[in-house]
Amino acid sequence: MASPGTIDTRGSDFARLARRISDAGLLDRRPFYYAVRMIIAAVAYAGCWAAFVWVGDSWWQLLVAVAMAVLFTQLGFLAHDLGHRQVFRTRRPSDIAGLIIGNLGVGLGWGWWNTKHNRHHANPNHEDHDPDVSPAVIVWSEDQVEKSTGIPRFFAKYQAFWFFPLLTLEAWHLHIASFKALFEPAAKRRYVELTLLITHVVLYLGLVFTMLPVGKALLFLVVHQGLFGLYLGCTFAPNHKGMPVLTKEDKLDFLRKQVLTSRNVRGGWFTDVALGQLNYQIEHHLFPHMPAPNLRKAQPIVERYCAEINVDYLQTGLVESYGQALRHLHDVGAALR
């Protein structure tokens, strides 16, 4: 613990941390890194579809479906970084690349997802303001359990056991939600996004059902979209699930709101790649514009600073992060058991 005399007392707690991060150059753009990453993503995308055509009418297509699930999730990570303007400084190139990757590439609405995700960042794990903890199917707090009806109440009793199976439906949910959002009055770029989404669906389903008989085509869709949703959900679950759920009674400053509701996941380069570097969730929430490859370097700075100002900083292994999330879900549903 640093002595009081060693801590800069100018500004808020977050402002002092931000100065340290800025002085370390960790907010600087990484254009070469993202150029290489985009090229790799484009080659992999073309390669997966080329493999799909080459394999043809074969059960080996299920392996292609697995590879595509991994690729679609990795593209989702790239779209996520674009949404936070980690890649480009200005909105226009970020939006163009995001629309191509999101709407056209994987069939997820860029505008809808950005709006939803920005609301999450503004109030993480807040049961009134964070759409990621809204009780649509899973309930996240005892208060939500008491108010639950219908489907959420049905699953809540043993929702820890339902959690991973339900994630296999997540991709389908995201596709449908992307379309639904474009018919809301507040939708922006309605016709551009709708055109790109429809183009994705037509090309995707057209190629699958042209190359494969109906039975194999349907199985390909189940495996691809199911694993896509499962993988995507498993990369976000360790970040906030099982952490404190905030209500209107909680009055926290920006730094504490972001740190206390987030969890980091320890690991090496494989974990970083597999989780899209979102395993540094605390650093990402504090500095959402920070390029993803800089998060690892920011982690020890943030952890030391939190120790200095006596703010709890949680970092666990991947398996333990899931354990904490599932135990929380099971405890929340206890009243119904």
Side-chain angles (χ1 to χ4, degrees), residues 4-328:
T6 65
I7 301 177
D8 182 1
T9 58
R10 295 170 299 166
S12 68
D13 287 335
F14 175 72
R16 291 191 290 273
L17 173 60
R19 280 196 290 271
R20 297 187 187 186
I21 293 294
S22 180
D23 290 345
L26 298 178
L27 298 178
D28 296 343
R29 292 292 191 275
R30 298 285 298 273
F32 180 76
Y33 165 84
Y34 278 109
V36 172
R37 188 171 164 187
M38 285 185 172
I39 291 171
I40 293 174
V43 171
Y45 192 82
C48 273
W49 283 114
F52 177 86
V53 173
W54 178 71
V55 171
D57 182 3
S58 168
W59 291 110
W60 289 107
Q61 289 287 15
L62 297 185
L63 291 181
V64 178
V66 173
M68 281 196 179
V70 173
L71 174 62
F72 272 40
T73 305
Q74 289 292 326
L75 288 172
F77 295 152
L78 187 53
H80 167 273
D81 292 2
L82 285 161
H84 284 295
R85 296 198 203 173
Q86 296 175 16
V87 184
F88 304 106
R89 290 186 181 277
T90 57
R91 181 183 298 276
R92 183 173 176 79
S94 300
D95 284 347
I96 293 173
L99 288 167
I100 292 172
I101 294 173
N103 292 56
L104 186 60
V106 299
L108 300 183
W110 169 252
W112 163 75
W113 182 85
N114 258 334
T115 300
K116 171 179 175 291
H117 193 63
N118 287 337
R119 288 172 57 203
H120 158 70
H121 267 265
N123 291 284
N125 263 29
H126 194 294
E127 65 178 18
D128 296 322
H129 304 301
D130 184 355
D132 289 352
V133 292
S134 62
V137 176
I138 298 292
V139 290
W140 307 101
S141 69
E142 293 178 0
D143 184 57
Q144 288 181 346
V145 169
E146 293 177 2
K147 298 177 182 177
S148 65
T149 58
I151 292 177
R153 193 169 185 85
F154 171 79
F155 284 113
K157 190 174 183 180
Y158 295 106
Q159 61 184 359
F161 300 96
W162 283 107
F163 183 68
F164 288 110
L166 285 172
L167 285 182
T168 62
L169 302 176
E170 179 64 10
W172 299 105
H173 160 69
L174 294 174
H175 293 311
I176 293 170
S178 296
F179 274 100
K180 286 177 61 178
L182 291 176
F183 292 95
E184 295 177 358
K188 299 178 180 179
R189 295 186 301 260
R190 187 193 316 272
Y191 298 110
V192 172
E193 292 216 30
L194 189 59
T195 298
L196 291 173
L197 282 177
I198 291 174
T199 300
H200 169 82
V201 171
V202 170
L203 292 177
Y204 175 77
L205 294 181
L207 188 57
V208 169
F209 281 96
T210 297
M211 296 297 300
L212 300 176
V214 174
K216 286 180 183 175
L218 291 174
L219 188 56
F220 179 91
L221 295 180
V222 168
V223 173
H224 177 213
Q225 296 295 330
L227 291 181
F228 175 29
L230 179 63
Y231 181 14
L232 197 62
C234 283
T235 62
F236 286 95
N239 301 335
H240 301 281
K241 309 314 178 192
M243 299 302 291
V245 177
L246 305 181
T247 68
K248 60 184 178 181
E249 306 301 326
D250 297 298
K251 307 297 181 184
L252 299 175
D253 64 358
F254 176 79
L255 183 144
R256 286 163 180 81
K257 179 167 61 174
Q258 303 299 339
V259 174
L260 296 177
T261 60
S262 303
R263 178 198 295 111
N264 275 18
V265 176
R266 288 189 296 266
W269 68 268
F270 180 80
T271 303
D272 290 0
V273 172
L275 298 184
Q277 299 172 100
L278 294 175
N279 45 314
Y280 304 104
Q281 189 68 191
I282 294 173
E283 290 69 33
H284 171 59
H285 261 258
L286 288 169
F287 303 99
H289 297 317
M290 181 185 292
N294 291 349
L295 293 171
R296 170 180 279 273
K297 298 176 182 178
Q299 188 276 324
I301 299 175
V302 174
E303 185 176 18
R304 283 195 301 268
Y305 183 75
C306 286
E308 290 176 10
I309 62 174
N310 294 312
V311 173
D312 291 339
Y313 179 103
L314 181 59
Q315 186 169 219
T316 72
L318 182 60
V319 174
E320 176 57 21
S321 72
Y322 290 129
Q324 291 177 6
L326 293 176
R327 283 193 295 271
H328 171 76

